[in-house]
Amino acid sequence: QVQLVESGGGSVQAGGSLRLSCAVFGYSYSSYCMGWFRQTPGKEREGVAAIYTGDGSTYYADSVKGRFTISQDNAKNTLHLQMNSLKPEDTAMYYCAATYCNGRWRWKFEWEYNYWGQGTQVTVSS
């Protein structure tokens, strides 16, 4: 059974940094598509960044380009999201998601993913 476990959320002042991690358990495929989403109350879940582990291709929402970096640690089966220059509007619950794919997927859409973590809260104060 696939399980995703996020960690690394917390509270930070604007301009600060946080690093989120997502440990993947039970995934038997060598290549899969993973993403980070975020959600605030009353709003739809928003795709933030994604990576295809087969070749390391990465994708970012315009709102985080140049500030966030998604990366994979294959040895530890862990996904990371390095978040720099954080803004109050980055405040949200952040979720890790995964699915098996061949690198062709609509990474921004939550229904493309079969597995989800429980979420980790990020709060950025001004």
Side-chain angles (χ1 to χ4, degrees):
Q1 183 176 352
V2 176
Q3 187 177 10
L4 307 178
V5 180
E6 299 104 333
S7 60
S11 297
V12 65
Q13 288 192 330
S17 298
L18 283 173
R19 188 188 194 212
L20 305 184
S21 297
C22 174
V24 182
F25 301 96
Y27 219 110
S28 60
Y29 298 111
S30 59
S31 299
Y32 44 94
C33 297
M34 298 195 69
W36 285 100
F37 285 75
R38 64 187 181 187
Q39 188 172 28
T40 54
K43 293 190 177 181
E44 293 186 354
R45 202 167 286 189
E46 173 193 18
V48 174
I51 188 168
Y52 173 52
T53 64
D55 61 11
S57 297
T58 57
Y59 307 88
Y60 296 95
D62 289 343
S63 58
V64 306
K65 274 181 184 175
R67 300 189 298 121
F68 289 13
T69 303
I70 189 171
S71 63
Q72 60 187 82
D73 183 338
N74 290 335
K76 296 182 179 180
N77 225 26
T78 301
L79 181 74
H80 299 289
L81 184 68
Q82 178 66 42
M83 305 186 295
N84 298 328
S85 302
L86 282 162
K87 304 175 181 180
E89 50 264 42
D90 294 319
T91 295
M93 183 71 78
Y94 283 71
Y95 297 91
C96 173
T99 189
Y100 172 71
C101 76
N102 59 4
R104 299 174 185 174
W105 87 118
R106 293 167 294 181
W107 71 269
K108 289 184 179 181
F109 297 98
E110 57 181 303
W111 55 82
E112 292 281 309
Y113 299 85
N114 293 323
Y115 306 103
W116 291 85
Q118 80 289 352
T120 185
Q121 178 68 36
V122 171
T123 302
V124 184
S125 57
S126 57

